[in-house]
Amino acid sequence: MSGPHPQHAMVGAFDLLVAAAAIGAILAYSRGADRLRRRGDAWPWVREAGFTAGAWAVAYAFIGPLPGGPFTAHMGRHLVIGMAAPLLLVLARPLTLAFRALRPGRPRRALLALARSRPAAWLAFPPAAALLDVGGLWLLYRTPVFAAVQHLPAAHTLVQLHVIAAGVLFTFAVCQVDPVRRRWSPVWRGGSLLAAGAAHAVLAKSLYTTPPPGTAVATADLHSAAQLMYYGGDLVELALAAVIALQWYRTAGRARARGHRRTALLPTPAPQE
C-alpha cells in the first residue's frame, strides 16, 4: 500500500517546464493583445487579466506549496489545473486573439484549418469532451492507476498532461466562445455539463469513504480532499452553467430583436372602407 507523495517531492523538471510554459503563454497573450491595441483594435483588459490569472494559477499549482495533507494538496492541484484555470483561460478567448493578432499567412491559415478540422470538431463535441474529462478522473481514482503512477515519473507526467488538456477541452466545448467548426445548442452543452457534474460529484463522494485502490491515505486527509473535490467542482460547474445561461439569454434576445425588426418592416394593411 502506498500513499500520495508529499507535494514537494513531486516538483521536478516537468513541473518547472509546465510553469515556464504557463509564463510563456502569458507573454504571448499579452503580446497579441498589445498588437491589436497598437493598431486601434479593442481587446478587453478583463480577458487579459483572466488569462494571466489562469496561467499563473497553473504555474503555482505545479511549483508552489499547497495547503493540507498530501492527498488534499494533490486534489487542490487537480482542481486548479483541471477546472478553475481552464475556465479563466477559455473565457479569455485565446484562439480568437490569435486569429486577430496573426498577420495573413501560413501560420494563420494553419491555425484556422486546425480549429475547423473534423478531428477538432469531434473533440469539441460536448459529450465526448465530458467523457474524456470525467472519465479520465474515474479511471485515475477508481482503478489502481493512481497508485501505479506515484512511482513512475513518466506516467505521472502523462496524467498531469491529460488533466490539463481534458479540462481545457471540456471547458472549451461547454463555453464555445472561440470560433469552432460547429456550435452546439445550449441543450447539448448544458446536458453534458449536468452529466459531467453528476459523475464528478459521485466520484467525490466515493473518495470520501474509499481511497484510490492500492493507496493508504489518512482519514482526515481523504475527507478533506473529497470535500475539496466536491464543493470546488460545484463552484466551477455553476460558473460554467452561468456562461451557458448568459449565452442563451443573449441569443434569445437577438432573435426577438430580429423578429421585431422584421415585423416593423412589414407593410401596414390598408384600412377597410
Side-chain angles (χ1 to χ4, degrees), residues 74-93:
H74 161 85
M75 194 61 70
R77 170 192 273 195
H78 274 214
L79 186 65
V80 169
I81 67 175
M83 297 188 74
L87 178 62
L88 293 171
L89 297 174
V90 168
L91 291 182
R93 303 189 181 188

Side-chain angles (χ1 to χ4, degrees), residues 48-65:
E48 187 171 357
F51 189 91
T52 301
W56 271 116
V58 171
Y60 183 84
F62 274 88
I63 63 175

Side-chain angles (χ1 to χ4, degrees), residues 12-228:
F14 171 71
D15 304 87
L16 295 174
L17 181 62
V18 172
I23 295 172
I26 294 173
L27 296 176
Y29 189 99
S30 298
R31 182 179 179 183
D34 289 341
R35 178 177 293 179
L36 290 184
R37 294 181 185 123
R38 283 197 303 268
R39 71 187 190 198
D41 294 341
W43 189 257
W45 287 99
V46 66
R47 292 181 188 170
E48 187 171 357
F51 189 91
T52 301
W56 271 116
V58 171
Y60 183 84
F62 274 88
I63 63 175
L66 297 174
F71 195 49
T72 301
H74 161 85
M75 194 61 70
R77 170 192 273 195
H78 274 214
L79 186 65
V80 169
I81 67 175
M83 297 188 74
L87 178 62
L88 293 171
L89 297 174
V90 168
L91 291 182
R93 303 189 181 188
L95 191 57
T96 299
L97 175 64
F99 285 142
R100 293 181 57 184
L102 287 173
R103 296 182 177 89
R106 182 176 297 177
R108 190 177 187 276
R109 290 195 301 270
L111 182 61
L112 184 61
L114 177 63
R116 295 182 177 177
S117 65
R118 288 186 181 275
W122 296 334
L123 289 173
F125 179 46
L131 181 61
L132 287 172
D133 187 25
V134 184
L137 294 179
W138 273 86
L139 180 65
L140 177 64
Y141 294 122
R142 292 280 59 117
T143 71
V145 170
F146 181 77
V149 301
Q150 299 306 304
H151 306 286
L152 298 172
H156 184 266
T157 296
L158 291 176
V159 168
Q160 302 303 313
L161 288 175
H162 170 81
V163 171
I164 296 174
V168 170
L169 177 63
F170 177 66
T171 307
F172 181 87
V174 168
C175 294
Q176 291 198 358
V177 293
D178 272 321
V180 290
R181 180 184 178 94
R182 175 175 179 178
R183 292 192 175 276
W184 296 94
S185 70
V187 175
W188 277 104
R189 294 184 286 135
S192 300
L193 177 60
L194 285 174
H200 193 266
V202 171
L203 177 59
K205 289 182 177 180
S206 73
L207 284 174
Y208 189 86
T209 58
T210 308
T215 65
V217 183
T219 301
D221 191 16
L222 182 67
H223 288 177
S224 62
Q227 289 172 336
L228 179 62

